[in-house]
Amino acid sequence: AQSVAQPEDQVNVAEGNPLTVKCTYSVSGNPYLFWYVQYPNRGLQFLLKYITGDNLVKGSYGFEAEFNKSQTSFHLKKPSALVSDSALYFCAVRDESNTGKLIFGQGTTLQVKP
Amino acid sequence: ETGVTQTPRHLVMGMTNKKSLKCEQHLGHNAMYWYKQSAKKPLELMFVYNFKEQTENNSVPSRFSPECPNSSHLFLHLHTLQPEDSALYLCASSQDGGGREQFFGPGTRLTVL
């Protein structure tokens, strides 16, 4: 069965430092992978996706993610964190039934301190 | 925010009430989704509609009744809810059901007393 894991409930970084939010997945075929961000009392906002091609995917707000097939990972990264990046981040993988369903991880809270 | 609107943003209802949540997307998409987001739990997919047809019902109790009159509108009719149904209900849309990115509305914060 397909699954997504975000091993960290919370990540703390200092402003200006690089950040990484981890995600690993399990699918039997080729994965379609997504990252979303959720600010308090808001819906989820799409950040970036990987379907095929270059393993380094660039997205919104300076975020990027690296697809690693051998490690079945899709970690979200940013070279220099901002306080305004503090939010809840979700990794997701497309369900293999191809109904459009996404399977979400449990979410990681990113806290960026000034 | 992203072309997907939801009303109301907040709703408080008693267990015997009947209410409806509304979602509208202005993106020309053909697939729409309802999710439930509870505290400390991952997002739970409830229903999927593709071209107005329901293609997924994720074992949702019958006290939640979706309706999709056209590709732009999605409703969630609520009746005889339980306090544990209190959550943030999120609507999303995508261009089709083939795994493209989904765009989310701001959600309806539901409290069942």
Side-chain angles (χ1 to χ4, degrees), chain B residues 89-105:
Chain B
Y89 288 85
L90 292 164
C91 173
S93 71
S94 65
Q95 189 166 348
D96 53 38
R100 309 235 192 175
E101 59 270 30
Q102 295 176 16
F103 293 85
F104 284 78

Side-chain angles (χ1 to χ4, degrees), chain B residues 25 32 51-52 67-74:
Chain B
Q25 58 95 0
M32 296 188 78
F51 296 91
K52 303 188 299 178
E67 179 190 1
C68 188
N70 54 61
S71 292
S72 298
H73 294 86
L74 185 65

Side-chain angles (χ1 to χ4, degrees), chain B residues 69-82:
Chain B
N70 54 61
S71 292
S72 298
H73 294 86
L74 185 65
F75 295 89
L76 189 62
H77 303 300
L78 316 171
H79 64 99
T80 58
L81 294 191
Q82 305 297 313

Side-chain angles (χ1 to χ4, degrees), chain A residues 14-94:
Chain A
E15 188 174 30
N17 283 0
L19 69 87
T20 299
V21 183
K22 295 180 180 176
C23 172
T24 58
Y25 65 90
S26 174
V27 299
S28 56
N30 293 321
Y32 284 31
L33 295 157
F34 303 83
W35 274 104
Y36 287 84
V37 61
Q38 185 178 31
Y39 296 99
N41 300 312
R42 307 283 283 275
L44 278 68
Q45 293 180 37
F46 169 73
L47 279 178
L48 50 80
K49 67 180 178 184
Y50 172 83
I51 295 177
T52 187
D54 202 353
N55 288 345
L56 186 64
V57 180
K58 293 191 184 297
S60 306
Y61 312 121
F63 284 94
E64 56 190 27
E66 186 169 12
F67 172 67
N68 187 317
K69 188 171 183 178
S70 63
Q71 296 186 2
T72 62
S73 67
F74 189 55
H75 300 333
L76 181 71
K77 301 183 180 188
K78 187 172 183 181
S80 179
L82 300 172
V83 172
S84 57
D85 292 329
S86 299
L88 182 58
Y89 290 80
F90 290 96
C91 181
V93 65
R94 187 192 71 170

Side-chain angles (χ1 to χ4, degrees), chain A residues 86-108:
Chain A
S86 299
L88 182 58
Y89 290 80
F90 290 96
C91 181
V93 65
R94 187 192 71 170
D95 181 81
E96 291 168 314
S97 64
N98 202 25
T99 59
K101 178 178 170 180
L102 293 181
I103 299 167
F104 284 87
Q106 61 269 45
T108 298

